Amino acid sequence: MPSNVTAIVPGTFDPVTVGHIDIVRRGACKFGRVVVGLVETPLRKSHLFDADEREYFLREALQDIPNVEVDRFNCLVVEFARRWEAHVILKGLRAISDFEYEFAMAQLNRKLAPDIETVFMMASPEHSFLSSSGVKEIAAFGGPVDDLVPTVVARRLRELYPPRA
Ligand code: ADP
């Protein structure tokens, strides 16, 4: 793939997990620039962390990858892509359950912006069942999340939900 192509990776990242990081890292090897787009105010779901904190986690977790940027948006994904002159929307696919929603979103986005291609990367097997909501659930019950999220997120979750003795 040409190195001058910018791909955006949109999401809520509430909070970012090692599954998200894996997709961004692999994307950064294939595209010239990857812009992680944080949805500031998710329409469909309530969030645990506000946009400032979610952005801080992303920046901390991704700081070692030179061709990755972090930005936030509150508009259509394709508008956000245009803002960065990106022609690729990069998404991670976990199980079949992701497929139906992502398939519909990709078709809708294609309708809105035929020049922007949605590209899917399969989740790495070890992250196939990892989700932000799963992480929050484990943490809320005092379970260990250190292998599932970046260090900065694990630390914050421990503050919010002290581990059970
Ligand atoms: P979630 O679906 O966990 O609430 P987001 O809305 O932040 O997370 O997801 C943004 C993108 O990241 C989606 O394309 C989603 O499929 C992908 N993604 C989420 N978790 C993983 C994972 N463990 N491995 C690969 N991709 C993932």
Side-chain angles (χ1 to χ4, degrees):
M1 274 176 238
S3 62
N4 60 352
V5 170
T6 296
I8 61 156
V9 178
T12 325
F13 307 108
D14 183 44
V16 61
T17 69
V18 294
H20 296 126
I21 302 289
D22 181 56
I23 295 293
V24 174
R25 206 175 277 287
R26 285 160 58 198
C29 294
K30 297 288 174 223
F31 298 101
R33 184 170 62 168
V34 172
V35 182
V36 178
L38 174 68
V39 178
E40 275 198 67
T41 318
L43 287 181
R44 289 179 298 115
K45 40 192 180 186
S46 59
H47 43 89
L48 175 64
F49 297 106
D50 67 18
D52 287 342
E53 207 159 20
R54 284 180 284 133
E55 181 179 347
Y56 169 69
F57 295 151
L58 281 167
R59 287 193 186 280
E60 286 288 309
L62 297 169
Q63 59 181 345
D64 63 311
I65 319 176
N67 58 335
V68 170
E69 310 269 355
V70 177
D71 192 8
R72 14 208 287 188
F73 68 103
N74 244 337
C75 59
L76 290 172
V77 168
V78 292
E79 279 173 30
F80 178 69
R82 294 225 190 283
R83 199 188 295 165
W84 280 90
E85 293 180 1
H87 289 92
V88 172
I89 299 170
L90 174 63
K91 308 229 67 182
L93 261 194
R94 284 163 293 187
I96 295 173
S97 49
D98 271 347
F99 178 80
E100 206 166 323
Y101 174 76
E102 294 294 352
F103 181 72
M105 285 309 297
Q107 302 295 3
L108 287 170
N109 284 329
R110 176 192 289 269
K111 184 92 186 144
L112 293 170
D115 55 317
I116 298 177
E117 196 70 55
T118 302
V119 172
F120 292 99
M121 268 185 185
M122 290 298 161
S124 296
E126 64 271 32
H127 304 138
S128 283
F129 296 96
L130 176 54
S131 66
S132 299
S133 49
V135 164
K136 285 182 280 192
E137 211 157 305
I138 294 171
F141 287 103
V145 292
D146 302 72
D147 294 343
L148 309 179
V149 291
T151 314
V152 64
V153 178
R155 203 183 308 131
R156 183 75 181 102
L157 283 169
R158 268 197 300 276
E159 277 170 23
L160 283 176
Y161 307 109
R164 300 199 169 165

